[in-house]
C-alpha cells in the first residue's frame, strides 16, 4: 500500500521475531524440547516429529526463509531510503531473541518495532510471541546492555487480512492451478493452517474464535480474487495440519489428509492446497503438505498441487513494510487507516489482558498489553 515516504520514526530499530528451527541433526531433539517444554507433549509424538526433520537432513528450512525475508526487508527499506537496522531473533533456537536484542541494545538502540512471522491471533501465534518479547526485554544481558536506560518494544498488528498477504496467496494459487492442468471434475481450493486446541481457538482474539474467523476471511478473499482472475467459480474449505496434542484433547479439524479423502467421495477432480496459515515453507509445509498430504492424494488417485507460501513475494514484503510504517505513524500520533481486505478485521497494537490467554498460566506476563 502506498502511504507516501516510508518513515519508521520514532523507532530506531526493527526486530524480526520468528519461531526458529534446527539446522543440523544434533540440534533436532534440543530444539523440540525447547518448543514443547511444559506442554505435556507425548514423547512418542516428539520422536515422530523428530523423524520429519531427520528426513530433511536434520535441517528446518525456516531459518533460511527468515534470512531471505530479512534481506528482502532490508532491500525494501534501502530502496525507500530508510537506514533503520533490522535485527532477527527466534523464540526457540539460534539466533535467540534475547541474545539478538542484547546485541541491538549494545549497539545503542533503545526503541524497537517488532514484527513476527505469524499473521493470526491465538495464544501460539500471538500472545506467546509477546510473552517471549517480555522475557527478552527483561533478560539480564539486555538489562546490562541498556546501562540503566529504558528500552521499549512495540509491535505491528496481526496482518493476515492485509491485501498484500492475500495478494501473495492469490498469485500462488493461480500459479498452482495452472500447474495442476486439466482434471476430471471440479477443482477445490483447500486452505491449510496449523491445528491448535479447540480451547485455544475459542479464546483467540478479543472476542474469541479469532483464529478460525481470520483464516476464513483470508480464504474467502483469496478464493474470490482467484475466481476473478480465472473467470471461474471455486469452492473452498479450511483444513488443518500438524496436530501435536494428546488424543484426549480436542483440536481443530478436519485434518488435511482426512479432508482429501472426503473430497474424493464428493466427486472433486483435483485439489490445490494453499498454506495460508504459514508465511514461509517451513517444516509443517514441506513435510505435512509436500510429503504426507501429497502422498495421501497419490494413494487416493486425486490430482493435487501445493501453492507457495508468501515467503518473499513482493506484495507480502510490501505488506510488512506497510504495517511497520503504519505502526510508526500511530506512535507519532498520526491518524491512519489500516489496510485490510474488504470486511477484514484489524489487529490491535496492544491487546486486552484476556486476549488469547495462556490457559496453562494466566498470570504469565506479556508485552504490548492494554488494560
Amino acid at each position: 500500500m502506498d502511504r507516501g515516504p516510508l518513515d519508521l520514526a520514532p523507532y530506531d530499530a526493527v526486530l524480526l521475531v520468528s519461531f526458529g528451527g534446527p539446522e543440523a541433526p544434533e540440534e533436532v531433539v534440543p530444539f523440540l524440547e525447547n518448543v514443547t517444554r511444559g506442554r505435556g507433549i507425548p514423547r512418542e509424538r516428539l520422536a515422530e516429529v523428530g523423524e520429519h526433520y531427520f528426513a530433511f537432513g536434520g535441517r528446518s528450512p525456516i531459518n533460511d526463509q527468515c534470512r531471505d525475508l530479512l534481506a528482502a526487508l532490508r532491500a525494501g527499506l534501502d530502496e525507500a531510503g530508510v537506514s533503520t537496522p533490522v535485527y532477527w531473533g527466534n523464540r526457540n533456537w539460534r539466533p535467540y531473541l534475547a541474545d539478538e536484542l542484547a546485541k541491538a541494545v549494545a549497539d545503542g538502540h533503545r526503541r524497537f518495532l517488532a514484527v513476527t512471522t505469524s499473521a493470526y491471533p491465538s495464544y501460539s501465534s500471538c500472545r506467546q510471541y509477546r510473552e517471549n518479547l517480555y522475557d527478552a526485554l527483561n533478560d539480564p544481558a539486555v538489562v546490562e546492555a541498556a546501562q540503566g536506560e529504558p528500552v521499549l518494544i512495540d509491535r505491528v498488528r496481526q496482518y493476515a487480512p492485509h491485501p498484500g498477504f492475500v495478494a501473495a496467496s492469490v498469485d500462488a494459487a493461480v500459479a498452482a492451478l495452472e500447474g495442476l492442468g486439466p482434471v476430471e471434475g471440479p477443482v477445490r481450493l483447500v486452505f491449510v493452517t496449523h491445528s491448535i486446541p479447540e480451547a485455544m481457538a475459542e479464546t483467540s482474539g478479543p472476542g474469541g474464535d479469532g483464529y478460525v474467523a481470520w483464516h476464513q476471511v483470508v480464504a474467502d478473499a483469496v478464493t474470490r480474487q482467484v475466481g476473478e482472475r480465472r473467470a471461474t467459480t471455486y469452492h473452498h474449505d479450511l483444513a488443518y495440519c500438524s496436530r501435536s496434542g494428546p488424543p484426549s484433547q480436542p483440536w481443530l479439524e478436519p485434518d488435511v489428509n482426512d479432508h482429501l479423502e472426503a473430497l474424493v467421495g464428493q466427486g472433486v477432480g483435483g485439489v490445490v492446497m494453499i498454506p495460508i496459515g504459514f508465511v514461509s515453507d517451513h517444516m509443517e509445509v514441506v513435510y505435512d503438505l509436500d510429503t504426507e498430504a501429497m502422498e495421501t492424494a497419490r494413494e487416493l488417485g486425486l490430482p493435487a498441487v501445493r501453492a507457495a507460501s508468501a515467503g518473499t513475494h513482493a506484495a507480502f514484503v510490501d505488506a510488512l513494510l506497510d504495517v511497520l510504517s503504519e505502526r510508526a505513524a500511530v506512535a507519532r500520533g498520526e491518524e491512519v487507516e489500516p489496510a485490510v481486505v474488504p470486511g477484514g478485521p484489524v489487529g490491535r497494537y496492544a491487546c486486552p489482558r484476556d486476549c488469547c490467554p495462556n490457559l496453562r498460566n494466566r498470570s504469565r506476563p506479556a508485552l504490548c498489553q492494554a488494560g
Side-chain angles (χ1 to χ4, degrees):
M1 301 294 291
D2 183 11
R3 295 186 184 279
L6 183 61
D7 184 359
L8 297 187
Y11 302 104
D12 55 16
V14 171
L15 190 59
L16 178 65
V17 186
S18 194
F19 190 83
E23 299 193 80
E26 62 272 18
E27 297 178 356
V28 171
V29 172
F31 162 74
L32 292 175
E33 290 174 342
N34 279 352
V35 173
T36 62
R37 186 170 290 115
R39 291 175 53 191
I41 304 298
R43 291 295 301 178
E44 57 269 22
R45 176 57 181 166
L46 286 186
E48 179 184 342
V49 175
E51 290 303 317
H52 300 175
Y53 288 92
F54 292 131
F56 291 86
R59 182 182 182 89
S60 167
I62 191 172
N63 275 2
D64 287 336
Q65 297 277 341
C66 283
R67 293 183 181 101
D68 292 343
L69 181 57
L70 191 72
L73 289 172
R74 180 71 270 155
L77 291 171
D78 289 344
E79 183 178 354
V82 176
S83 60
T84 306
V86 184
Y87 294 84
W88 160 46
N90 292 324
R91 287 174 42 199
N92 297 297
W93 202 248
R94 295 183 288 268
Y96 285 110
L97 177 57
D99 294 342
E100 295 307 301
L101 182 60
K103 290 179 185 177
V105 171
D107 288 342
H109 305 294
R110 296 294 183 269
R111 192 163 186 182
F112 296 86
L113 181 53
V115 56
T116 67
T117 58
S118 181
Y120 296 87
S122 80
Y123 170 71
S124 291
S125 56
C126 182
R127 186 186 182 93
Q128 195 168 15
Y129 280 89
R130 296 192 291 110
E131 291 177 349
N132 295 137
L133 284 166
Y134 179 92
D135 292 344
L137 192 60
N138 290 279
D139 187 87
V142 174
V143 173
E144 180 180 358
Q147 299 180 336
E149 296 179 349
V151 177
L152 173 69
I153 303 176
D154 289 329
R155 67 171 176 88
V156 303
R157 60 181 168 92
Q158 293 298 304
Y159 50 79
H162 193 288
F165 182 70
V166 169
S169 291
V170 171
D171 283 352
V174 168
L177 282 163
E178 292 171 351
L180 181 63
V183 298
E184 295 183 5
V187 175
R188 185 71 61 91
L189 305 183
V190 177
F191 295 89
V192 187
T193 189
H194 203 302
S195 185
I196 61 174
E198 288 182 3
M200 185 188 296
E202 291 167 358
T203 57
S204 61
D209 294 317
Y211 186 75
V212 174
W214 281 44
H215 279 86
Q216 289 172 337
V217 165
V218 175
D220 289 347
V222 173
T223 301
R224 182 175 60 254
Q225 293 184 35
V226 169
E228 291 170 353
R229 286 263 293 271
R230 291 178 60 85
T232 304
T233 299
Y234 292 99
H235 294 288
H236 69 279
D237 310 293
L238 180 62
Y240 302 90
C241 67
S242 309
R243 179 199 166 101
S244 59
S248 59
Q249 186 181 43
W251 281 53
L252 293 176
E253 295 178 340
D255 175 81
V256 62
N257 297 282
D258 296 337
H259 190 59
L260 293 177
E261 185 174 355
L263 290 178
V264 171
Q266 297 171 22
V268 169
V271 167
V272 172
M273 293 180 285
I274 308 169
I276 57 167
F278 309 93
V279 303
S280 65
D281 290 0
H282 47 83
M283 189 56 67
E284 285 83 354
V285 176
V286 299
Y287 182 84
D288 292 18
L289 298 186
D290 292 351
T291 305
E292 194 171 57
M294 289 300 293
E295 181 179 348
T296 296
R298 284 192 294 272
E299 291 175 352
L300 293 168
L302 177 65
V305 293
R306 196 267 294 177
S309 56
T312 55
H313 188 288
F316 176 53
V317 175
D318 285 347
L320 294 184
L321 294 173
D322 181 57
V323 294
L324 287 166
S325 178
E326 170 198 307
R327 184 65 183 90
V330 170
R332 295 192 300 267
E334 300 173 11
E335 292 288 333
V336 299
E337 184 176 350
V340 294
V341 294
V346 178
R348 301 191 178 196
Y349 311 119
C351 295
R353 292 187 180 275
D354 61 350
C355 184
C356 303
N358 183 335
L359 297 177
R360 295 187 303 273
N361 183 3
R362 288 183 178 270
S363 63
R364 178 101 151 77
L367 203 66
C368 305
Q369 194 154 273

